[in-house]
């Protein structure tokens, strides 16, 4: 949806930012799952990591909502 609102350099910057965000999270999650000898986050008995990544996804979603609507209400969420 954000792609509908952006063009040119702003759109390219968003695409690069999103790709980096996805790659970084995937790599970090893979490394953390290896520590617990798990193949997926759903296999973990300790839900701390599960909730941590839920929080990361929520923060990213809020960032994209802010961008889409041009509304910085949630900017306090780092």
């Amino acid at each position: 949806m954000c792609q509908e609102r952006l063009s040119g350099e702003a759109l390219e910057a968003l695409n690069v930012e999103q790709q980096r965000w996805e790659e970084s999270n995937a790599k970090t999650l893979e490394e953390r799952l290896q520590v617990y000898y798990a193949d997926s986050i759903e296999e973990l008995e300790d839900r701390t990591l599960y909730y941590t990544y839920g929080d990361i996804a929520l923060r990213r979603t809020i960032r994209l909502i802010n961008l889409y609507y041009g509304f910085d209400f949630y900017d306090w969420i780092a």
Side-chain angles (χ1 to χ4, degrees):
M1 290 174 44
C2 289
Q3 293 176 340
E4 296 169 4
R5 299 260 186 193
L6 302 173
S7 62
E9 290 181 20
L11 179 57
E12 182 61 30
L14 175 63
N15 288 334
V16 169
E17 177 185 320
Q18 183 66 26
Q19 183 176 2
R20 286 181 182 159
W21 183 84
E22 290 175 13
E23 290 171 357
S24 173
N25 283 320
K27 180 182 176 197
T28 303
L29 179 59
E30 183 180 324
E31 291 169 357
R32 290 186 181 183
L33 287 174
Q34 288 177 355
V35 170
Y36 294 103
Y37 303 103
D39 292 322
S40 72
I41 201 165
E42 288 81 15
E43 293 179 13
L44 299 175
E45 291 181 25
D46 178 8
R47 290 295 183 188
T48 305
L49 189 59
Y50 185 84
Y51 295 124
T52 298
Y53 275 85
D55 185 59
I56 290 169
L58 176 61
R59 290 171 187 269
R60 181 63 182 169
T61 301
I62 290 171
R63 160 88 171 99
L64 295 172
I65 289 169
N66 282 347
L67 185 61
Y68 181 77
Y69 288 107
F71 187 64
D72 60 358
F73 176 77
Y74 294 107
D75 280 351
W76 57 271
I77 299 175

